[in-house]
Amino acid sequence: FHHPDQTMLYKTFGIALVLVTGCLLGQSQGKATLTKNGYDDFVVAISPDVPQDDTMIDSIKSMMRDMSRVLYTATRHRAHLRTVKILLPKTWKYPTDQTVSGESFQDAEFRIDIPNNAYGESPYTQQSTDCGVPGDFTHLTPSYVKDGLKYGDKGKTLLHEFAKLRWGVFEEHGYPGDDKFPLFYLKTVWTEAGQANTAEKNFCVNDNIVGYEQDIVTGGGCSHDASGVPDGNCMFFATQETKATSSIMSLPYISTNVNFCDDGGEEYLHDPDLPTKQNLFCNGQSTWSVISANDDFKNNNNPTNDTITNTDPRFIIIGGEEQVASIVMVMDVSKSMTPDFNDAEVDRLTAMKDAAKRWVKYDVPEGTKLGMLPFSTSTYMNDGFAMTDVTEAAKVDMIDKIDKLSVVGGTCIATGLFQAVVRPELLNNQEGNAILLITDGKQEGKCDNSYNQAKELLVRKKVRLITIALGDAADAEIEDIAEATDGKSYFVQDNSGPGDFNDAFTGSTTFQPADTISNTDMTIYQHTWDYNKTNPNFSVLDFFDVDASIGKNLTFRLEIQNGNSNCKSPINITLIDPDVTGRYDYQFSCSKTNYGTYIEKFTDLAKEGRWQFMIKSVELFESITVHVTSRSRADNDEPIRTQCSIKTGQQALGEDVFLKLSAVADVKKGNTPVIGAKVMAYITRPNDNGELPPLELELLDNGSGADVIKNDGIYSRYFTKYTGTGRYSVKCQVIGDQDTQVNDGFIVSKDFEDTYAKAVPAQPGAPICCGSNALSPNSKLSNTGNFTRQSAGGSFQAKEGDLPKGDKFPPSRVTDLEVKNMC
């Protein structure tokens, strides 16, 4: 009964191996650090899509003070917030206290952003189904930050989310109309008269609940079925007459409720039989049992300290308009980069140089600070260039330096990383910033620095490492360091064309100051064709869709890989618009000066619909890649976007355990879920017997297996089909059609628009969204039309000797079994 395609089963598949990966969804554990009862460097970040409002900063400070106070009480005097960093977007002008040192919006614990309509203004935390695993982030809206008291005490509401984010616990209440986590359920009791069924409210509290029922659509009384259970529109409002003191994961707005439930006695009683997320995903454990087992508190870490009288955190304002992206390219120029000195007989040096030149010329934003350090056995600063502001004039000198690189000596990767941090011409020991490492080899011989030294330095200086491994032989240690620095890892197969390089170089800017959604390029098409060298005549006809959410800055990009040679014959390119009334014909001759790259950018809004393109060439090339991007059609609209990643379960990376990995694609229009799309993950896998086609894995948004909540726009699936040791890389493709829709959230009656929030009643109450399904019968849906999106998720590696032997897949848990009829 544990077949992997049975999505109704809660999968606990695993593999006994040591994994290093840099494409994981960020987990919050380890960002803020807890020492001596105080969390330091907790980051609250504001999205660049949030208009500047200076009063919001005071609101942030107020709510975080409240949360720290309640945190200290709820953890039994074991933790509070000591320092909180407020990261302002680059679009804001506001005095700051210090420069950014590695913090980014994409990696912050609390993120203030435009609403996710499925949740309205209600705070929520994105997390997995694994008990004790930290969540990804907590989403707050500007309206909540400034005026969120209708959701109850802000300090306790935020602690409710922080507990999910930091310690991996879950809600202890039900949801109206939810099949798996109902707000009301039938409980069987035994009386003197025999068995009886009573309708009970699904809240884990240690005292009687006082309150009232109300229909959230009509505002009137609730309807009940024959058994006495209210229907799916019925909400229960607990009032302050309720004197429960736990659990804060159930009814955080009750004034007396300041504790987590506990298995250890009657005082904070936990009911393991309630149909709540906490009981299902944590096998009936109480929230305090899970929290106590966290590294923050286990083995008596951070014991009770009753002497702390002031729990107010110190606030540090960072970011704002002064943020500058600083990246150092650390480039391998050892002999193994040439065909005569690697087993694959591949010219990786030329491929690396061509990719770097294209990136500098066409993609690095002006204003970025960029440096370059070549390395082999030693480092060669004279052949690189110091940190320089990227301008059109500066690009010429940078490209000339890259073009002149030549190979020498062996490979000392750690020395290259170490010197990039300490050299005055480069990062100069400053905190933050990023290193882009490109290498194909293993550290060998006598090197000035070890991997441990490099890792310790990068972690201490908060420098993120983004790695590009060229070929199968690149050292596995580089992914270890990328993971330790919260960086990313990418893998470029030999002879794979420019597309993989483009994905990797784009990934190097992931953690740089974010831009607004409307100014962010969305990849709507990317494909590489490898030539059949016996038939140089090349012709292709294909298409891409420009959907209603995009159309500005439509950019068609063609890249030729031909060993940096001049083309002998021009390439013919034709683009045809959706009306077939606009035909655009171009000829392109690749040369050393254009780096085999042709770019056509449409200045007017692109027509919505299906565009066709034709490419014809009579010349032999190694590969041709087409990459099409576009931006939001209107500044006040939000484009459909996707983010692809690999996510671990509860085990830490590097542990020799059964490690669950799932491929995840987050598909949203702005922040609002896109449902009903076809999402495929393409996983390239190592193979000792030659080339292996990518594994195609359909990701699902069905609330089963690796997926947490149905119809929330997050598509996922467990990955178990390993083919051996080596690097695995992941890409996602999203296809939308006429059946694909945007989940715009819960709709209330017009008569009660002023009384009820979109996703949470205006009076304090359990959140309507989201239990097991983000789509309610009253949800507003809008069609997306045809669209495509593509995203690279990076790479991970299975190390030598750690693959399992025999059957290592345990049976799966069943979490959605229903009894439809009982005789």
Side-chain angles (χ1 to χ4, degrees):
F1 71 100
H2 60 279
H3 191 279
D5 289 331
Q6 289 177 273
T7 55
M8 69 171 285
L9 302 180
Y10 180 78
K11 301 171 182 64
T12 54
F13 296 144
I15 190 164
L17 48 78
V18 176
L19 267 162
V20 289
T21 148
C23 57
L24 303 178
L25 283 178
Q27 292 180 344
S28 293
Q29 185 80 34
K31 296 178 184 176
T33 56
L34 178 62
T35 57
K36 297 181 179 179
N37 305 104
Y39 285 105
D40 289 307
D41 297 334
F42 188 89
V43 178
V44 180
I46 302 173
S47 166
D49 292 296
V50 174
Q52 181 160 347
D53 180 353
D54 293 352
T55 63
M56 189 181 298
I57 295 176
D58 287 334
S59 297
I60 293 171
K61 291 179 179 180
S62 175
M63 72 182 191
M64 298 308 290
R65 289 190 193 102
D66 291 344
M67 180 187 133
S68 182
R69 170 179 44 80
V70 180
L71 171 65
Y72 182 64
T73 300
T75 58
R76 307 175 189 185
H77 296 184
R78 298 181 68 175
H80 71 289
L81 298 175
R82 187 157 48 216
T83 58
V84 173
K85 291 184 175 180
I86 302 175
L87 175 62
L88 308 182
K90 199 170 182 178
T91 51
W92 283 36
K93 297 180 180 180
Y94 192 90
T96 57
D97 299 317
Q98 64 183 45
T99 59
V100 172
S101 56
E103 299 84 5
S104 69
F105 176 80
Q106 296 87 342
D107 206 29
E109 286 101 331
F110 280 9
R111 305 177 191 177
I112 302 171
D113 203 353
I114 58 177
N116 177 337
N117 288 343
Y119 292 86
E121 303 296 343
S122 173
Y124 70 90
T125 299
Q126 184 168 299
Q127 60 184 144
S128 73
T129 59
D130 292 301
C131 183
V133 175
D136 303 322
F137 62 88
T138 293
H139 179 278
L140 308 172
T141 68
S143 294
Y144 172 81
V145 172
K146 294 193 65 179
D147 182 23
L149 292 179
K150 60 186 176 181
Y151 304 95
D153 180 283
K154 275 190 180 180
K156 290 197 287 184
T157 305
L158 291 178
L159 177 58
H160 179 92
E161 299 304 322
F162 177 86
K164 294 186 284 184
L165 177 72
R166 181 76 185 190
W167 303 313
V169 297
F170 298 89
E171 296 96 325
E172 295 188 281
H173 57 72
Y175 296 83
D178 197 275
D179 293 333
K180 190 180 292 187
F181 312 111
L183 187 60
F184 301 91
Y185 69 101
L186 275 181
K187 182 178 181 179
T188 300
V189 296
W190 293 92
T191 67
E192 293 181 358
Q195 179 179 325
N197 293 324
T198 62
E200 298 287 343
K201 297 172 282 292
N202 189 11
F203 297 97
C204 187
V205 292
N206 65 345
D207 203 346
N208 293 327
I209 304 176
V210 180
Y212 59 95
E213 299 173 359
Q214 193 170 35
D215 191 297
I216 57 178
V217 175
T218 68
C222 293
S223 300
H224 298 71
D225 63 20
S227 65
V229 176
D231 67 14
N233 289 331
C234 190
M235 187 69 197
F236 183 83
F237 296 96
T239 60
Q240 295 302 329
E241 284 78 15
T242 301
K243 299 304 179 184
T245 57
S246 72
S247 169
I248 208 164
M249 299 306 295
S250 178
L251 291 170
Y253 63 85
I254 296 298
S255 60
T256 56
N257 186 4
V258 291
N259 298 284
F260 296 102
C261 63
D262 196 351
D263 296 321
E266 296 292 325
E267 185 177 7
Y268 308 126
L269 182 66
H270 172 66
D271 185 346
D273 296 322
L274 290 175
T276 64
K277 286 188 180 182
Q278 174 66 22
N279 282 335
L280 179 66
F281 298 141
C282 293
N283 291 316
Q285 294 183 81
S286 69
T287 51
W288 185 247
S289 293
V290 176
I291 293 168
S292 300
N294 186 275
D295 288 341
D296 286 348
F297 304 118
K298 73 178 182 181
N299 300 323
N300 204 33
N301 288 338
N302 298 286
T304 296
N305 183 351
D306 296 327
T307 65
I308 298 173
T309 57
N310 183 5
T311 61
D312 288 354
R314 180 171 68 95
F315 294 96
I316 304 169
I317 310 296
I318 58 176
E321 63 177 342
E322 301 302 324
Q323 296 179 75
V324 177
S326 297
I327 304 171
V328 179
M329 294 187 293
V330 177
M331 304 177 73
D332 190 343
V333 292
S334 61
K335 290 182 178 180
S336 64
M337 295 285 287
T338 57
D340 293 337
F341 291 91
N342 63 64
D343 293 338
E345 299 180 356
V346 174
D347 186 358
R348 294 166 182 155
L349 179 70
T350 300
M352 176 183 71
K353 288 163 57 175
D354 287 350
K357 289 185 291 186
R358 286 194 302 268
W359 183 60
V360 171
K361 182 173 178 63
Y362 298 112
D363 298 321
V364 180
E366 289 200 14
T368 302
K369 286 187 177 295
L370 186 64
M372 193 261 283
L373 179 65
F375 75 92
S376 61
T377 309
S378 184
T379 56
Y380 307 97
M381 192 64 226
N382 289 338
D383 296 329
F385 51 86
M387 300 304 294
T388 306
D389 290 330
V390 174
T391 63
E392 285 302 317
K395 286 181 178 183
V396 176
D397 294 333
M398 292 176 179
I399 290 170
D400 183 61
K401 282 281 192 177
I402 295 170
D403 195 48
K404 291 178 179 178
L405 292 176
S406 58
V407 298
V408 58
T411 308
C412 284
I413 299 171
T415 301
L417 298 176
F418 199 92
Q419 291 299 313
V421 175
V422 302
R423 275 187 173 273
E425 312 98 307
L426 297 173
L427 297 183
N428 194 26
N429 277 309
Q430 294 178 348
E431 289 190 350
N433 306 311
I435 292 175
L436 176 60
L437 170 67
I438 312 171
T439 182
D440 79 328
K442 297 180 183 294
Q443 178 137 320
E444 57 188 12
K446 188 176 181 180
C447 298
D448 292 339
N449 302 102
S450 67
Y451 276 126
N452 284 339
Q453 288 176 318
K455 181 192 294 187
E456 186 277 332
L457 178 65
L458 267 64
V459 169
R460 178 160 47 88
K461 293 297 182 180
K462 301 178 182 179
V463 175
R464 295 183 191 271
L465 178 64
I466 297 92
T467 66
I468 303 178
L470 307 182
D472 295 325
D475 207 325
E477 297 289 341
I478 64 175
E479 281 101 346
D480 284 335
I481 303 177
E483 193 274 326
T485 61
D486 290 328
K488 285 193 171 185
S489 293
Y490 294 88
F491 171 51
V492 176
Q493 290 182 308
D494 290 325
N495 302 315
S496 61
D500 288 343
F501 267 114
N502 291 343
D503 294 335
F505 275 103
T506 301
S508 69
T509 60
T510 299
F511 300 105
Q512 302 306 316
D515 207 339
T516 60
I517 294 180
S518 61
N519 285 331
T520 301
D521 289 316
M522 307 294 158
T523 297
I524 58 178
Y525 182 95
Q526 181 167 296
H527 190 80
T528 296
W529 294 270
D530 295 323
Y531 266 28
N532 181 347
K533 295 190 177 182
T534 62
N535 180 17
N537 293 310
F538 176 82
S539 178
V540 66
L541 172 63
D542 210 345
F543 65 87
F544 57 87
D545 291 316
V546 175
D547 59 90
S549 73
I550 56 173
K552 187 169 59 178
N553 281 46
L554 178 67
T555 303
F556 180 92
R557 176 166 170 164
L558 182 143
E559 293 176 299
I560 304 296
Q561 186 169 329
N562 67 333
N564 199 26
S565 301
N566 294 325
C567 292
K568 297 177 182 178
S569 303
I571 298 171
N572 295 304
I573 305 167
T574 300
L575 289 170
I576 303 173
D577 71 19
D579 298 335
V580 200
T581 56
R583 179 186 175 107
Y584 308 89
D585 294 303
Y586 312 99
Q587 279 196 335
F588 168 60
S589 294
C590 57
S591 67
K592 292 183 178 181
T593 56
N594 61 33
Y595 315 111
T597 302
Y598 175 79
I599 297 176
E600 184 65 33
K601 182 175 291 187
F602 290 77
T603 55
D604 296 331
L605 279 178
K607 291 181 180 178
E608 181 184 344
R610 180 154 291 178
W611 288 67
Q612 300 178 74
F613 66 88
M614 292 181 287
I615 303 172
K616 292 184 178 180
S617 171
V618 297
E619 190 171 344
L620 181 66
F621 301 115
E622 296 173 15
S623 67
I624 287 182
T625 296
V626 170
H627 186 211
V628 184
T629 61
S630 185
R631 296 181 180 180
S632 176
R633 182 168 291 271
D635 290 341
N636 60 352
D637 194 14
E638 299 156 359
I640 296 171
R641 53 181 178 168
T642 186
Q643 179 183 359
C644 183
S645 55
I646 289 292
K647 194 169 186 178
T648 65
Q650 63 187 8
Q651 297 85 358
L653 296 176
E655 288 185 359
D656 187 11
V657 291
F658 293 108
L659 186 63
K660 291 190 297 184
L661 291 178
S662 55
V664 179
D666 193 348
V667 188
K668 302 285 178 61
K669 187 179 188 300
N671 284 330
T672 299
V674 173
I675 63 176
K678 182 174 182 180
V679 182
M680 300 297 297
Y682 297 92
I683 303 174
T684 58
R685 300 169 291 170
N687 183 24
D688 294 336
N689 300 318
E691 189 170 335
L692 188 70
L695 172 69
E696 298 184 9
L697 192 67
E698 184 173 5
L699 308 185
L700 304 173
D701 185 14
N702 63 355
S704 294
D707 193 58
V708 186
I709 299 174
K710 186 177 182 179
N711 293 319
D712 67 346
I714 300 174
Y715 299 72
S716 54
R717 200 164 188 176
Y718 284 121
F719 168 68
T720 61
K721 296 181 179 179
Y722 299 91
T723 55
T725 58
R727 287 181 169 88
Y728 296 73
S729 60
V730 184
K731 294 182 180 180
C732 296
Q733 176 172 280
V734 182
I735 299 175
D737 56 26
Q738 297 306 314
D739 295 325
T740 307
Q741 298 175 306
V742 178
N743 179 2
D744 280 316
F746 181 79
I747 300 297
V748 298
S749 163
K750 179 67 177 175
D751 294 337
F752 293 90
E753 223 169 52
D754 296 331
T755 307
Y756 291 95
K758 195 164 190 178
V760 178
Q763 300 301 318
I768 294 175
C769 190
C770 295
S772 63
N773 194 340
L775 185 66
S776 77
N778 299 310
S779 290
K780 178 184 177 183
L781 298 173
S782 57
N783 293 328
T784 63
N786 294 332
F787 74 89
T788 56
R789 295 292 186 273
Q790 295 183 3
S791 175
S795 65
F796 63 91
Q797 181 172 156
K799 289 185 177 180
E800 185 69 34
D802 294 315
L803 291 173
K805 296 179 181 179
D807 183 4
K808 296 293 185 180
F809 299 151
S812 301
R813 279 184 70 203
V814 178
T815 61
D816 54 2
L817 178 66
E818 295 182 32
V819 178
K820 292 292 188 181
N821 187 22
M822 294 183 66
C823 297

